[in-house]
């Protein structure tokens, strides 16, 4: 078997129950379909400790299921180790970005590239908005943004 270089991406939002589990599941499905999933460590996490251990939001699970995508993720908080072990930490909005950049400063050897997932959007919608107080349509919009961005991100890393 040919040696493969492992790549890694951690998707992050506020609570790790709405946006980042969708991004994680979408990216895993795309990498699987592309035959590249074995090259990747893929995970998601929260900036806050509010929902640790929780399942993804039922509206997000329903949205994913309508697109034939499964998730068994449980919410976890981003740790200091994540900044050393992940090559990419991709987040959803400016608030996530400032929380992550602040946390990265407290890590001796932060290696991760901390970016907005939306920076990969060919349609240039930089922010993936929190659908927590939103509707099913808002979850669908998050899904579509994740599809566009994950596709571009995967292609860039292929
Ligand atoms: C959210 C949320 C989201 C908001 N997932 N929560 Cl009550 C609360 C307080 C601190 C952290 C978290 Cl995670 C939560 C529960 C879980 N996507 N979005 N809260 C939210 C949205 C808009 C204005 C204020 C909040 C707290």
């Amino acid at each position: 078997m040919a040696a493969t270089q492992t790549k890694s991406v951690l998707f992050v939002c506020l609570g790790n129950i709405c946006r980042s589990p969708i991004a994680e599941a979408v990216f895993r499905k795309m990498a699987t379909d592309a035959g590249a999933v074995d090259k990747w460590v893929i995970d998601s996490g929260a900036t806050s400790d509010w929902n640790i251990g929780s399942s993804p939001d039922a509206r997000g699970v329903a949205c994913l299921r309508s697109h034939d995508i499964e998730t068994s993720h449980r919410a976890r908080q981003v740790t200091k180790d994540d900044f050393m072990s992940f090559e990419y930490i991709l987040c959803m909005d400016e608030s996530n970005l400032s929380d992550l950049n602040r946390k990265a400063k407290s890590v001796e050897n932060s290696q991760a590239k901390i970016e907005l997932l939306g920076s990969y959007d060919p349609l240039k919608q930089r922010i993936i908005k929190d659908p927590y107080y939103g509707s099913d349509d808002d979850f669908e919009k998050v899904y579509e943004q994740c599809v566009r961005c994950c596709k571009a991100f995967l292609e860039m890393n292929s």
Side-chain angles (χ1 to χ4, degrees), residues 39-110:
K39 279 193 255 178
W40 285 90
V41 173
I42 306 164
D43 200 359
S44 64
T47 55
S48 94
D49 61 3
W50 194 263
N51 303 305
I52 293 173
S54 298
S55 296
D57 188 288
R59 296 166 295 174
V61 173
C63 172
L64 286 170
R65 189 171 302 138
S66 76
H67 296 282
D68 279 318
I69 301 176
E70 304 285 332
T71 174
S72 56
H73 188 73
R74 293 296 174 272
R76 73 168 182 90
Q77 189 171 27
V78 173
T79 66
K80 290 189 176 190
D81 280 351
D82 291 328
F83 293 92
M84 274 122 74
S85 57
F86 281 92
E87 188 182 356
Y88 287 95
I89 299 181
L90 302 181
C91 65
M92 306 297 154
D93 61 32
E94 301 283 2
S95 164
N96 303 155
L97 201 53
S98 61
D99 286 347
L100 286 167
N101 282 324
R102 185 178 339 103
K103 214 163 189 173
K105 275 190 201 148
S106 74
V107 178
E108 194 76 44
N109 228 329
S110 179

Side-chain angles (χ1 to χ4, degrees), residues 13-19 46 48-51 57 130-133:
C13 63
L14 174 66
N16 191 210
I17 55 167
C18 296
R19 293 167 289 179
S48 94
D49 61 3
W50 194 263
N51 303 305
D57 188 288
D130 187 357
Y132 190 62
Y133 290 112

Side-chain angles (χ1 to χ4, degrees), residues 7 40 88 115 120 150-158:
K7 301 162 193 251
W40 285 90
Y88 287 95
E115 298 173 333
Y120 292 91
C150 286
K151 183 167 184 286
F153 176 70
L154 183 60
E155 276 166 9
M156 191 201 80
N157 280 284
S158 304

